Amino acid sequence: MAETPQKLSIICFSGDFDKALAAMVMANGGRAFDYEVNLFFTFWGLNILKKRKGRRPGKGMFMQRMFNMMMGGRNNLPLSKFNFGGIGPELMKGIMKKKNIKDVDGMLQDAIGLGAKIYACDMAMNVMGVSKEDLIDEITDIVGVGTFIANAEGGQVLFI
Amino acid sequence: MAETPQKLSIICFSGDFDKALAAMVMANGGRAFDYEVNLFFTFWGLNILKKRKGRRPGKGMFMQRMFNMMMGGRNNLPLSKFNFGGIGPELMKGIMKKKNIKDVDGMLQDAIGLGAKIYACDMAMNVMGVSKEDLIDEITDIVGVGTFIANAEGGQVLFI
Amino acid sequence: MAETPQKLSIICFSGDFDKALAAMVMANGGRAFDYEVNLFFTFWGLNILKKRKGRRPGKGMFMQRMFNMMMGGRNNLPLSKFNFGGIGPELMKGIMKKKNIKDVDGMLQDAIGLGAKIYACDMAMNVMGVSKEDLIDEITDIVGVGTFIANAEGGQVLFI
């Protein structure tokens, strides 16, 4: 192991269940190795942070409301493949439950508990019509890409 | 900030509007922090560099012409989700315009103006039937993956 | 070139032909520069390592068998765009063959021959119903994310 502290920063761009799961597994794995872990949620990935379980029209203009509604909440994340209108992720969650693997939301809570930093992208919130109130309370900060780049400096970065 | 110059290299694989936008935001953000920024456009990402606004059949074999035509140009990039035959990106561009956020093309021009290096992948151009004349003039070079890896050495790398 | 050995670790998450191709090109490029190369195949990316050429129902529960069957084998990888029920990748393979570019399977064999390490993700195998016998024999090891993070430490990481 290196002597200097390691750092892992993940741009959580995708709102797909399987990709979000991969991001959370990496985040928790990084914390298990005592890496500094920064998660930057942007675009469809903002969905992972949404407070509401159901789908609701958001604020803002028509298209923003549409994006908000169609994306659903953090318990409605689709699979990137074989989604079948939401049946795919439900069946995958069923398998995971039987095998005692936490789902995205449980892993996100673990990551937060383990000290991962949770950042929401201000530009994407602006474009997608997502407000601070729509997101879970455990967010470290709402920041721009500059802050993310500064925080990620010198470490590994993933775009998921 | 570290004392040695930082470096950010992005493999722009996707031709989706939203992912291309994320890549350009990162590229400009990196330059704002005085990072060396290398952008390597490959596969569908070549589309972001296309000169022609409209769709046109390309050179080469049937499938290459098909790829070229279906991909459209840099002003026809689809959304990775909720594209709705091109309505999605148009509406997103409308929101961005109202909020004074530049679109992919404007951000690419900014990145070039700020000194980001623009590389097009020779292998992908070969497979997709894209020629040098199809691409914008501001390209730094057409290179193979080896040159990209050499340029990216010691820095952060993103695959988008 | 830096004096310390460089390292490139790739999380091969996608089972799409074009993305798998990009991952293999990077892996071989990395080895050509004498980088240590670690490939971690997870989720749909496990497909790239499947022994069987055809589609077959796997072991496990209904959904796992479904995932296994629908994903096909390493010679049935779809394109992320313009797949057209498998016609897209076949036509792309045709173009590549004419241009003497190896396809995913050939490049994977090259990477293995050049000394890239091939890891399969134990959690994903568990969730997707993939067993050791389903995968090619050249796998270095079946590991968890912790081993991958430890192996990747201090190097570049890509999520593809």
Side-chain angles (χ1 to χ4, degrees):
Chain A
M1 301 290 283
E3 288 160 31
T4 51
Q6 302 290 315
K7 200 191 285 189
L8 174 65
S9 301
I10 306 178
I11 302 169
C12 301
F13 174 93
S14 171
D16 294 330
F17 178 81
D18 43 346
K19 291 190 179 176
L21 192 65
M24 293 307 121
V25 168
M26 288 299 298
N28 281 296
R31 284 303 301 144
F33 279 86
D34 215 27
Y35 279 34
E36 175 186 329
V37 173
N38 299 307
L39 304 178
F40 183 65
F41 293 83
T42 186
F43 275 84
W44 320 106
L46 285 171
N47 231 17
I48 303 166
L49 298 182
K50 285 226 190 128
K51 204 183 275 169
R52 302 289 186 96
K53 298 192 177 193
R55 294 160 188 265
R56 67 172 194 95
K59 288 169 190 164
M61 283 171 281
F62 171 73
M63 192 61 188
Q64 291 171 309
R65 290 205 308 275
M66 284 285 284
F67 280 134
N68 236 329
M69 194 183 66
M70 288 183 301
M71 291 200 301
R74 71 181 197 278
N75 293 308
N76 297 99
L77 304 178
L79 275 185
S80 67
K81 283 197 183 298
F82 310 132
N83 187 53
F84 301 130
I87 297 173
E90 286 311 313
L91 288 169
M92 193 176 274
K93 283 181 204 175
I95 295 172
M96 289 167 62
K97 203 167 184 179
K98 275 191 189 157
K99 295 182 177 288
N100 284 315
I101 301 170
K102 287 189 183 176
D103 83 352
V104 171
D105 204 33
M107 286 198 198
L108 173 63
Q109 293 303 328
D110 282 354
I112 292 168
L114 289 167
K117 298 281 170 43
I118 310 294
Y119 297 102
C121 172
D122 58 5
M123 190 190 97
M125 287 176 66
N126 199 355
V127 171
M128 313 296 265
V130 175
S131 67
K132 194 176 190 302
E133 293 73 43
D134 294 328
L135 304 180
I136 57 171
D137 297 326
E138 294 90 339
I139 289 173
T140 311
D141 211 352
I142 295 172
V143 301
V145 72
T147 303
F148 173 73
I149 290 176
N151 288 344
E153 188 182 325
Q156 297 172 328
V157 192
L158 294 174
F159 182 92
I160 298 185
Chain B
M1 301 291 283
E3 288 160 32
T4 51
Q6 302 290 315
K7 200 192 285 190
L8 174 65
S9 301
I10 306 178
I11 302 168
C12 300
F13 175 92
S14 171
D16 293 331
F17 178 81
D18 43 346
K19 292 190 179 174
L21 192 65
M24 293 307 119
V25 169
M26 288 299 297
N28 281 296
R31 284 304 300 144
F33 279 86
D34 215 28
Y35 279 34
E36 176 186 329
V37 172
N38 299 305
L39 304 178
F40 183 65
F41 294 83
T42 186
F43 275 84
W44 319 105
L46 285 171
N47 232 16
I48 304 165
L49 298 182
K50 286 224 189 130
K51 204 183 277 169
R52 302 291 186 95
K53 298 190 177 193
R55 294 159 190 264
R56 66 172 196 99
K59 288 169 189 165
M61 284 170 280
F62 170 72
M63 192 62 188
Q64 292 172 309
R65 289 205 308 275
M66 285 285 284
F67 280 134
N68 236 329
M69 194 182 66
M70 288 183 301
M71 292 201 301
R74 72 181 197 278
N75 292 308
N76 298 98
L77 304 178
L79 275 186
S80 67
K81 283 198 185 299
F82 309 133
N83 187 54
F84 300 130
I87 297 174
E90 285 312 312
L91 287 171
M92 192 175 275
K93 283 182 205 175
I95 295 172
M96 289 166 62
K97 202 167 184 179
K98 275 191 190 157
K99 295 183 176 287
N100 284 315
I101 300 169
K102 287 190 183 176
D103 84 352
V104 171
D105 204 33
M107 286 198 199
L108 173 63
Q109 293 303 327
D110 282 353
I112 292 168
L114 290 168
K117 298 282 171 43
I118 309 294
Y119 298 101
C121 172
D122 58 5
M123 191 190 97
M125 287 176 66
N126 199 355
V127 171
M128 314 295 265
V130 176
S131 68
K132 194 176 190 301
E133 292 74 43
D134 295 327
L135 304 180
I136 57 170
D137 297 327
E138 295 89 339
I139 289 173
T140 310
D141 211 354
I142 296 172
V143 301
V145 72
T147 302
F148 173 73
I149 290 176
N151 288 345
E153 189 181 324
Q156 296 173 329
V157 192
L158 294 174
F159 182 92
I160 298 185
Chain C
M1 300 290 283
E3 287 160 31
T4 50
Q6 302 290 314
K7 201 192 284 189
L8 175 64
S9 300
I10 306 177
I11 302 170
C12 300
F13 174 92
S14 171
D16 293 331
F17 178 80
D18 42 346
K19 290 190 179 175
L21 192 65
M24 293 307 120
V25 168
M26 288 299 297
N28 281 296
R31 284 304 300 144
F33 279 85
D34 215 28
Y35 279 35
E36 175 186 328
V37 172
N38 299 306
L39 304 178
F40 183 65
F41 293 84
T42 186
F43 275 85
W44 319 105
L46 285 171
N47 231 16
I48 303 166
L49 297 183
K50 284 224 190 129
K51 204 183 275 169
R52 301 292 185 95
K53 298 190 176 193
R55 294 159 190 265
R56 67 173 194 95
K59 288 168 190 164
M61 284 170 280
F62 170 73
M63 192 61 189
Q64 291 172 310
R65 289 205 308 275
M66 285 284 284
F67 279 135
N68 236 329
M69 194 182 66
M70 288 182 302
M71 291 201 303
R74 72 182 198 279
N75 293 308
N76 297 99
L77 304 178
L79 275 186
S80 67
K81 282 197 184 299
F82 311 132
N83 187 53
F84 302 129
I87 297 173
E90 286 312 312
L91 288 170
M92 192 176 275
K93 283 182 205 176
I95 295 172
M96 289 166 62
K97 202 167 183 179
K98 276 191 189 157
K99 295 183 176 288
N100 284 315
I101 300 169
K102 288 190 183 176
D103 82 353
V104 171
D105 203 34
M107 286 198 199
L108 173 63
Q109 292 303 327
D110 282 354
I112 292 168
L114 289 167
K117 299 281 172 41
I118 309 295
Y119 297 102
C121 172
D122 58 5
M123 190 191 96
M125 288 176 65
N126 199 356
V127 171
M128 314 295 267
V130 175
S131 67
K132 194 176 189 303
E133 293 73 44
D134 295 328
L135 304 180
I136 57 171
D137 297 326
E138 294 89 341
I139 289 173
T140 311
D141 211 353
I142 294 171
V143 301
V145 72
T147 303
F148 172 73
I149 290 175
N151 288 345
E153 188 182 325
Q156 296 173 329
V157 192
L158 294 175
F159 182 92
I160 297 184

